[in-house]
Amino acid sequence: MKITFMGAGSTVFARNVIGDCMCSEALRDSVFALYDIDGERLKESETILEAMRKTKGDYGKIECYLGVEQRKDALRDADFVVNAIQVGLYDPCTIIDFEVPKKYGLRQTIGDTLGIGGIMRALRTIPVMEDFARDMQEVCPNALFLNYTNPMAMLAGYMQRYTGVKTVGLCHSVQVCSSGLLTDLGMEDKLEGRKELIAGINHMAWLLEIKDKNGVDLYPEIKSRIDAKIADPDYCNKVRLEYIKNFGYYCTESSEHNSEYNMFYIKSKYPQLIERYNIPLDEYPRRCVNQIEGWKKEYAELMENGVKEHERSHEYASHIMEAIVTSKPYQIGGNVLNTDHLITNLPAEACVEVPCLVNGYGIHPCHVGALPVQCAAMNMTNINVQLLTIEAARTRKLEHIYQAAMLDPHTGSELDIDTIKKMVDDLIAAHGDFLPKYN
């Protein structure tokens, strides 16, 4: 079996996903093909993973492929392809995504999923993923593409609609959604045996039901505790608790993410909201700098002291592969096309996040039905931007980029149309060759 990792220079993530595979008896003897366009980062990943492989019993084989000219060989005969690329990296592209909008008075926290940052990230990533898809259809047409790159709904949605590659989008937030909420609210005694239903879109899927092991609805107790938590000046997850108060349900992704997915919290005319909700403006650039410095230190320590034992993480990738290889069923929260209206009050062409059964026949999304109307409405404000960004990538029409930015809840609530267009033009110019040409 062959497992190919695209963007293997993302060493920490590659270590987690491939390390998880090495923990699985069904997967550990695979060929692990590492692909990246950065030779130094690729070498670091190879060094770490080779050391990890030896600690895990010397099973399998690691192969490295550098640059576009070796991409087909990396993909050739792969059974699974994991995607974790970041086109343009932190420097220069993430810096551009934050600094250009800031000149227009538009502030962001993460900028990788929605908003003007998410739009730009999708537009520079989709052409690269189109290249991946063409290669896969030639050299590994039956492989399953497991996408971890953001913006998830735009990238996975494009692959699912406009390529022939079997694709599922995977995130980290579904697995820890309810446990994080219950722990934050001091309800750890309800964790064991709990039952939950989560559905919506990536980074804004809704915890529609949560019950304890005896089937008792936990939302009444949750709602009775949230005011005290929101009143805590040091608590940093207030936006999601406000979602419960105002929309009735908790959502999957963090408050720093969700503060920029709507028009409510980051408002230049209401600067007091930033402090009130502990919203970390410019969080992603800060995080990138810290991660880069942290990895340098960690890598030096690993080279000096050796690679530590890896314990299987909560990432879905290895469990999906294992379920398909062994035919032992496994449930995930997957990002899939809303075919046959899995969620009946969201568009069929939207990429939705729903429970999926995985077995020897692949990934089988589950029908959810209608979301509460207010939750569907919130999702639609994001889906509008996602669909228009996908349309811009497909048609190469500049007007669709303008429209996506105009309809973005945060951007549209802060800037007028002429300013939005000027900002988009400046971003396109600043990104240069990282973006294709638009008409």
Side-chain angles (χ1 to χ4, degrees):
M1 188 163 58
K2 183 175 179 179
I3 299 167
T4 299
F5 197 107
M6 310 299 282
S10 304
T11 307
V12 173
F13 192 62
R15 177 181 61 185
N16 286 343
V17 171
I18 295 179
D20 288 352
C21 294
M22 292 177 181
C23 292
S24 166
E25 188 173 342
L27 306 174
R28 64 187 183 186
D29 213 21
S30 300
V31 172
F32 301 103
L34 311 181
Y35 171 80
D36 207 277
I37 59 173
D38 186 315
E40 181 179 351
R41 294 172 63 134
L42 183 61
K43 185 63 179 177
E44 288 180 355
S45 292
E46 180 188 22
T47 301
I48 297 299
L49 288 168
E50 270 291 359
M52 185 181 293
R53 189 178 67 83
K54 293 187 183 303
T55 68
K56 289 292 184 185
D58 219 16
Y59 292 97
K61 179 183 179 183
I62 292 173
E63 299 176 347
C64 290
Y65 299 87
L66 176 63
V68 174
E69 61 278 2
Q70 294 188 6
R71 188 173 65 209
K72 281 187 182 179
D73 288 333
L75 291 166
R76 195 176 310 279
D77 299 324
D79 298 281
F80 302 98
V81 178
V82 180
N83 183 51
I85 62 171
Q86 185 180 357
V87 178
L89 302 176
Y90 162 67
D91 189 0
C93 286
T94 296
I95 294 172
I96 292 169
D97 284 345
F98 275 78
E99 293 304 314
V100 172
K102 200 182 294 183
K103 294 176 183 177
Y104 291 88
L106 187 67
R107 304 297 300 274
Q108 301 171 90
T109 55
I110 305 295
D112 74 346
T113 299
L114 205 72
I116 194 64
I119 292 168
M120 289 295 127
R121 183 180 282 234
L123 293 175
R124 62 180 181 264
T125 307
I126 285 173
V128 177
M129 290 177 61
E130 284 180 313
D131 290 340
F132 290 179
R134 279 190 291 269
D135 286 352
M136 289 180 66
Q137 287 172 311
E138 180 181 340
V139 301
C140 58
N142 297 316
L144 175 64
F145 189 76
L146 296 93
N147 181 62
Y148 274 101
T149 299
N150 284 322
M152 177 61 65
M154 299 184 201
L155 302 184
Y158 189 95
M159 293 288 284
Q160 290 154 356
R161 290 172 65 190
Y162 295 115
T163 78
V165 173
K166 293 183 292 184
T167 301
V168 63
L170 305 174
C171 189
H172 327 277
S173 55
V174 173
Q175 301 96 307
V176 297
C177 175
S178 64
S179 61
L181 173 62
L182 295 177
T183 300
D184 278 1
L185 297 180
M187 298 172 62
E188 294 91 342
D189 60 313
K190 307 298 184 183
L191 289 170
E192 187 177 354
R194 69 190 184 282
K195 303 173 182 68
E196 62 188 40
L197 173 62
I198 295 175
I201 61 173
N202 180 241
H203 286 185
M204 196 189 280
W206 304 96
L207 182 60
L208 299 172
E209 296 180 7
I210 179 165
K211 299 178 180 180
D212 69 12
K213 61 185 178 183
N214 298 314
V216 176
D217 182 7
L218 293 178
Y219 258 125
E221 185 174 354
I222 288 169
K223 291 177 180 179
S224 73
R225 298 185 181 215
I226 60 177
D227 282 340
K229 203 67 182 176
I230 291 173
D232 179 354
D234 297 321
Y235 185 61
C236 294
N237 213 10
K238 296 183 181 185
V239 168
R240 292 162 89 190
L241 297 188
E242 283 280 333
Y243 275 15
I244 297 177
K245 291 185 67 173
N246 294 306
F247 296 96
Y249 299 89
Y250 194 63
C251 80
T252 47
E253 191 47 81
S254 65
S255 287
E256 64 262 25
H257 273 276
N258 270 275
S259 62
E260 65 181 6
Y261 298 165
N262 54 65
M263 64 291 285
F264 307 129
Y265 299 104
I266 305 175
K267 302 177 76 67
S268 55
K269 290 185 178 180
Y270 300 89
Q272 67 273 17
L273 295 177
I274 301 302
E275 182 177 356
R276 177 179 170 185
Y277 290 103
N278 282 333
I279 296 171
L281 295 174
D282 298 323
E283 168 65 15
Y284 189 63
R286 243 188 334 268
R287 193 176 293 179
C288 288
V289 170
N290 291 337
Q291 286 175 343
I292 291 167
E293 291 305 312
W295 171 243
K296 288 179 182 177
K297 182 179 179 182
E298 184 181 354
Y299 185 72
E301 291 175 352
L302 289 170
M303 292 302 95
E304 182 177 349
N305 301 319
V307 174
K308 299 175 183 176
E309 181 69 21
H310 176 79
E311 294 184 8
R312 200 168 185 179
S313 75
H314 62 251
E315 297 293 351
Y316 282 138
S318 69
H319 296 282
I320 291 171
M321 299 178 209
E322 188 176 70
I324 291 173
V325 169
T326 65
S327 293
K328 293 180 180 177
Y330 184 75
Q331 181 179 311
I332 66 167
N335 289 271
V336 296
L337 209 58
N338 196 28
T339 306
D340 297 327
H341 289 286
L342 301 166
I343 298 178
T344 55
N345 51 351
L346 294 182
E349 63 269 27
C351 181
V352 295
E353 195 166 68
V354 295
C356 300
L357 174 68
V358 188
N359 61 19
Y361 286 96
I363 295 173
H364 312 279
C366 298
H367 178 82
V368 174
L371 298 179
V373 65
Q374 71 276 17
C375 296
M378 279 285 282
N379 284 165
M380 279 306 305
T381 66
N382 286 221
I383 289 170
N384 292 332
V385 181
Q386 294 161 2
L387 295 183
L388 276 162
T389 303
I390 289 172
E391 195 68 7
R394 187 184 71 87
T395 63
R396 300 288 199 264
K397 288 186 177 179
L398 180 60
E399 64 185 289
H400 292 317
I401 307 178
Y402 291 152
Q403 291 159 354
M406 288 156 52
L407 287 170
D408 174 65
H410 176 44
T411 304
S413 69
E414 288 282 86
L415 306 179
D416 66 273
I417 289 176
D418 289 340
T419 303
I420 290 171
K421 290 182 177 180
K422 289 177 184 176
M423 179 181 66
V424 167
D425 290 342
D426 281 358
L427 281 162
I428 291 172
H431 281 304
D433 291 340
F434 283 105
L435 290 174
K437 303 304 178 186
Y438 290 90
N439 302 316

